[in-house]
Short mmCIF file of all heavy atoms in Angstrom, two decimals:
data_model
loop_
_atom_site.label_atom_id
_atom_site.label_comp_id
_atom_site.label_asym_id
_atom_site.label_seq_id
_atom_site.Cartn_x
_atom_site.Cartn_y
_atom_site.Cartn_z
N LEU A 301 82.79 35.87 -104.54
CA LEU A 301 83.14 35.06 -103.36
C LEU A 301 81.91 34.54 -102.63
O LEU A 301 81.93 33.43 -102.10
CB LEU A 301 83.96 35.90 -102.36
CG LEU A 301 85.43 36.12 -102.67
CD1 LEU A 301 86.01 37.12 -101.68
CD2 LEU A 301 86.20 34.80 -102.59
N PHE A 302 80.84 35.36 -102.60
CA PHE A 302 79.70 35.01 -101.74
C PHE A 302 78.43 34.75 -102.54
O PHE A 302 77.36 34.69 -101.96
CB PHE A 302 79.49 36.12 -100.69
CG PHE A 302 80.76 36.45 -99.93
CD1 PHE A 302 81.30 37.72 -99.95
CD2 PHE A 302 81.43 35.46 -99.22
CE1 PHE A 302 82.47 38.02 -99.27
CE2 PHE A 302 82.61 35.73 -98.54
CZ PHE A 302 83.13 37.02 -98.56
N ASN A 303 78.57 34.61 -103.85
CA ASN A 303 77.44 34.26 -104.72
C ASN A 303 76.26 35.20 -104.50
O ASN A 303 75.16 34.79 -104.12
CB ASN A 303 77.03 32.79 -104.46
CG ASN A 303 76.08 32.30 -105.55
OD1 ASN A 303 75.94 32.92 -106.60
ND2 ASN A 303 75.43 31.18 -105.29
N THR A 304 76.52 36.49 -104.73
CA THR A 304 75.46 37.47 -104.57
C THR A 304 75.50 38.48 -105.72
O THR A 304 76.36 38.40 -106.59
CB THR A 304 75.58 38.17 -103.19
OG1 THR A 304 74.44 38.97 -102.99
CG2 THR A 304 76.83 39.03 -103.09
N LEU A 305 74.54 39.42 -105.73
CA LEU A 305 74.45 40.41 -106.81
C LEU A 305 74.90 41.78 -106.30
O LEU A 305 74.78 42.06 -105.11
CB LEU A 305 73.01 40.51 -107.31
CG LEU A 305 72.49 39.24 -108.00
CD1 LEU A 305 70.99 39.36 -108.25
CD2 LEU A 305 73.24 39.00 -109.31
N PRO A 306 75.38 42.65 -107.22
CA PRO A 306 75.85 43.97 -106.78
C PRO A 306 74.79 44.73 -105.99
O PRO A 306 75.12 45.47 -105.06
CB PRO A 306 76.17 44.70 -108.09
CG PRO A 306 76.23 43.67 -109.16
CD PRO A 306 75.56 42.42 -108.66
N GLN A 307 73.51 44.53 -106.33
CA GLN A 307 72.44 45.26 -105.65
C GLN A 307 72.34 44.89 -104.17
O GLN A 307 71.74 45.61 -103.37
CB GLN A 307 71.07 44.99 -106.30
CG GLN A 307 70.95 45.42 -107.76
CD GLN A 307 71.63 44.47 -108.75
OE1 GLN A 307 72.23 43.48 -108.36
NE2 GLN A 307 71.56 44.79 -110.03
N GLN A 308 72.91 43.74 -103.81
CA GLN A 308 72.82 43.30 -102.41
C GLN A 308 74.04 43.76 -101.60
O GLN A 308 74.19 43.37 -100.44
CB GLN A 308 72.71 41.76 -102.37
CG GLN A 308 71.77 41.25 -101.28
CD GLN A 308 71.75 39.72 -101.20
OE1 GLN A 308 72.14 39.03 -102.14
NE2 GLN A 308 71.31 39.18 -100.08
N VAL A 309 74.90 44.58 -102.23
CA VAL A 309 76.11 45.05 -101.54
C VAL A 309 76.06 46.58 -101.44
O VAL A 309 76.00 47.28 -102.45
CB VAL A 309 77.39 44.63 -102.30
CG1 VAL A 309 78.64 45.07 -101.53
CG2 VAL A 309 77.41 43.13 -102.55
N GLN A 310 76.06 47.09 -100.22
CA GLN A 310 76.02 48.55 -100.01
C GLN A 310 77.39 49.04 -99.55
O GLN A 310 77.92 48.53 -98.56
CB GLN A 310 74.96 48.89 -98.95
CG GLN A 310 74.84 50.39 -98.71
CD GLN A 310 73.87 50.72 -97.57
OE1 GLN A 310 73.16 49.86 -97.07
NE2 GLN A 310 73.89 51.97 -97.16
N VAL A 311 77.93 50.02 -100.26
CA VAL A 311 79.23 50.60 -99.86
C VAL A 311 78.98 51.70 -98.82
O VAL A 311 78.17 52.60 -99.04
CB VAL A 311 79.99 51.15 -101.09
CG1 VAL A 311 81.27 51.86 -100.65
CG2 VAL A 311 80.29 50.03 -102.08
N VAL A 312 79.68 51.60 -97.70
CA VAL A 312 79.51 52.57 -96.61
C VAL A 312 80.88 53.15 -96.28
O VAL A 312 81.84 52.40 -96.05
CB VAL A 312 78.98 51.86 -95.34
CG1 VAL A 312 78.83 52.85 -94.19
CG2 VAL A 312 77.67 51.16 -95.62
N ILE A 313 80.99 54.47 -96.23
CA ILE A 313 82.26 55.08 -95.82
C ILE A 313 82.34 55.06 -94.29
O ILE A 313 81.43 55.52 -93.60
CB ILE A 313 82.37 56.54 -96.32
CG1 ILE A 313 82.19 56.59 -97.83
CG2 ILE A 313 83.68 57.18 -95.83
CD1 ILE A 313 83.37 56.90 -98.65
N HIS A 314 83.44 54.50 -93.82
CA HIS A 314 83.68 54.37 -92.37
C HIS A 314 85.16 54.73 -92.16
O HIS A 314 86.05 53.89 -92.31
CB HIS A 314 83.37 52.93 -91.95
CG HIS A 314 83.93 52.56 -90.61
ND1 HIS A 314 83.77 53.33 -89.49
CD2 HIS A 314 84.65 51.47 -90.21
CE1 HIS A 314 84.38 52.74 -88.47
NE2 HIS A 314 84.92 51.62 -88.89
N PRO A 315 85.42 56.03 -91.89
CA PRO A 315 86.80 56.54 -91.94
C PRO A 315 87.76 55.88 -90.96
O PRO A 315 88.97 55.86 -91.20
CB PRO A 315 86.66 58.03 -91.60
CG PRO A 315 85.22 58.34 -91.68
CD PRO A 315 84.44 57.08 -91.57
N GLN A 316 87.28 55.32 -89.85
CA GLN A 316 88.21 54.77 -88.85
C GLN A 316 88.79 53.42 -89.23
O GLN A 316 89.77 52.98 -88.62
CB GLN A 316 87.50 54.65 -87.49
CG GLN A 316 87.18 55.98 -86.82
CD GLN A 316 85.84 56.56 -87.23
OE1 GLN A 316 85.11 55.98 -88.04
NE2 GLN A 316 85.51 57.72 -86.69
N SER A 317 88.21 52.71 -90.21
CA SER A 317 88.67 51.36 -90.60
C SER A 317 88.81 50.43 -89.40
O SER A 317 89.79 49.69 -89.29
CB SER A 317 90.02 51.41 -91.35
OG SER A 317 89.91 52.12 -92.54
N VAL A 318 87.84 50.47 -88.51
CA VAL A 318 87.84 49.56 -87.35
C VAL A 318 86.86 48.43 -87.60
O VAL A 318 87.16 47.26 -87.34
CB VAL A 318 87.49 50.34 -86.06
CG1 VAL A 318 87.13 49.39 -84.93
CG2 VAL A 318 88.69 51.20 -85.66
N ILE A 319 85.69 48.77 -88.14
CA ILE A 319 84.77 47.73 -88.64
C ILE A 319 85.24 47.40 -90.05
O ILE A 319 85.38 48.30 -90.89
CB ILE A 319 83.32 48.25 -88.66
CG1 ILE A 319 82.83 48.46 -87.23
CG2 ILE A 319 82.42 47.27 -89.42
CD1 ILE A 319 81.40 48.92 -87.14
N HIS A 320 85.49 46.13 -90.32
CA HIS A 320 86.06 45.77 -91.63
C HIS A 320 85.00 45.34 -92.64
O HIS A 320 85.36 45.08 -93.79
CB HIS A 320 87.14 44.71 -91.44
CG HIS A 320 88.26 45.24 -90.61
ND1 HIS A 320 88.93 46.41 -90.93
CD2 HIS A 320 88.78 44.84 -89.44
CE1 HIS A 320 89.83 46.67 -90.00
NE2 HIS A 320 89.75 45.74 -89.08
N SER A 321 83.77 45.28 -92.24
CA SER A 321 82.57 45.07 -93.05
C SER A 321 81.51 44.40 -92.19
O SER A 321 81.81 43.96 -91.07
CB SER A 321 82.80 44.26 -94.32
OG SER A 321 83.31 45.13 -95.33
N MET A 322 80.26 44.36 -92.74
CA MET A 322 79.14 43.83 -91.95
C MET A 322 78.22 43.00 -92.84
O MET A 322 78.21 43.16 -94.05
CB MET A 322 78.34 44.99 -91.35
CG MET A 322 79.13 45.80 -90.34
SD MET A 322 78.28 47.32 -89.86
CE MET A 322 79.04 48.52 -90.95
N VAL A 323 77.43 42.17 -92.16
CA VAL A 323 76.40 41.38 -92.85
C VAL A 323 75.08 41.61 -92.13
O VAL A 323 75.01 41.45 -90.91
CB VAL A 323 76.76 39.87 -92.84
CG1 VAL A 323 75.61 39.04 -93.42
CG2 VAL A 323 78.04 39.62 -93.63
N GLU A 324 74.05 42.01 -92.90
CA GLU A 324 72.73 42.20 -92.30
C GLU A 324 71.83 41.03 -92.67
O GLU A 324 71.74 40.66 -93.85
CB GLU A 324 72.10 43.51 -92.80
CG GLU A 324 70.73 43.75 -92.19
CD GLU A 324 70.08 45.05 -92.67
OE1 GLU A 324 70.80 46.03 -92.95
OE2 GLU A 324 68.85 45.04 -92.80
N TYR A 325 71.16 40.46 -91.68
CA TYR A 325 70.26 39.33 -91.90
C TYR A 325 68.81 39.81 -91.96
O TYR A 325 68.50 40.93 -91.53
CB TYR A 325 70.44 38.30 -90.77
CG TYR A 325 71.75 37.54 -90.91
CD1 TYR A 325 72.94 38.05 -90.39
CD2 TYR A 325 71.81 36.33 -91.58
CE1 TYR A 325 74.15 37.37 -90.54
CE2 TYR A 325 73.02 35.64 -91.73
CZ TYR A 325 74.18 36.16 -91.20
OH TYR A 325 75.36 35.50 -91.36
N ILE A 326 67.91 38.93 -92.46
CA ILE A 326 66.51 39.34 -92.65
C ILE A 326 65.77 39.57 -91.34
O ILE A 326 64.72 40.21 -91.31
CB ILE A 326 65.72 38.33 -93.53
CG1 ILE A 326 65.94 36.91 -93.04
CG2 ILE A 326 66.09 38.47 -94.99
CD1 ILE A 326 65.12 35.87 -93.79
N ASP A 327 66.33 39.08 -90.22
CA ASP A 327 65.67 39.35 -88.93
C ASP A 327 66.11 40.69 -88.33
O ASP A 327 65.71 41.06 -87.24
CB ASP A 327 65.94 38.20 -87.94
CG ASP A 327 67.43 38.03 -87.64
OD1 ASP A 327 68.24 38.84 -88.12
OD2 ASP A 327 67.78 37.06 -86.94
N GLY A 328 66.96 41.43 -89.07
CA GLY A 328 67.42 42.74 -88.58
C GLY A 328 68.76 42.68 -87.88
O GLY A 328 69.34 43.73 -87.56
N SER A 329 69.29 41.50 -87.62
CA SER A 329 70.62 41.40 -86.99
C SER A 329 71.69 41.90 -87.96
O SER A 329 71.66 41.54 -89.14
CB SER A 329 70.96 39.95 -86.65
OG SER A 329 70.01 39.40 -85.79
N VAL A 330 72.62 42.69 -87.45
CA VAL A 330 73.77 43.10 -88.26
C VAL A 330 75.03 42.62 -87.54
O VAL A 330 75.28 43.00 -86.40
CB VAL A 330 73.82 44.63 -88.43
CG1 VAL A 330 75.04 45.04 -89.25
CG2 VAL A 330 72.54 45.14 -89.09
N LEU A 331 75.80 41.75 -88.21
CA LEU A 331 77.05 41.25 -87.61
C LEU A 331 78.23 41.98 -88.24
O LEU A 331 78.26 42.18 -89.45
CB LEU A 331 77.22 39.74 -87.84
CG LEU A 331 76.13 38.80 -87.33
CD1 LEU A 331 76.64 37.36 -87.31
CD2 LEU A 331 75.65 39.18 -85.94
N ALA A 332 79.17 42.38 -87.38
CA ALA A 332 80.35 43.10 -87.86
C ALA A 332 81.61 42.41 -87.35
O ALA A 332 81.57 41.75 -86.31
CB ALA A 332 80.33 44.54 -87.34
N GLN A 333 82.70 42.54 -88.09
CA GLN A 333 84.00 42.09 -87.58
C GLN A 333 84.83 43.34 -87.38
O GLN A 333 84.91 44.19 -88.28
CB GLN A 333 84.66 41.13 -88.57
CG GLN A 333 85.96 40.50 -88.06
CD GLN A 333 87.21 41.17 -88.60
OE1 GLN A 333 87.12 42.17 -89.32
NE2 GLN A 333 88.36 40.66 -88.25
N LEU A 334 85.42 43.49 -86.20
CA LEU A 334 86.22 44.67 -85.87
C LEU A 334 87.65 44.25 -85.59
O LEU A 334 87.92 43.11 -85.21
CB LEU A 334 85.68 45.35 -84.60
CG LEU A 334 84.37 46.12 -84.67
CD1 LEU A 334 83.19 45.19 -84.77
CD2 LEU A 334 84.21 47.02 -83.45
N GLY A 335 88.55 45.20 -85.72
CA GLY A 335 89.95 44.94 -85.38
C GLY A 335 90.81 46.10 -85.81
O GLY A 335 90.35 46.99 -86.55
#
Side-chain angles (χ1 to χ4, degrees):
L301 282 172
F302 308 120
N303 193 15
T304 188
L305 294 171
Q307 298 77 359
Q308 218 184 340
V309 182
Q310 181 185 351
V311 175
V312 179
I313 305 250
H314 163 49
Q316 290 88 0
S317 297
V318 165
I319 292 182
H320 298 305
S321 278
M322 294 170 264
V323 173
E324 181 180 328
Y325 287 85
I326 49 176
D327 61 5
S329 302
V330 179
L331 303 195
Q333 186 260 4
L334 288 73

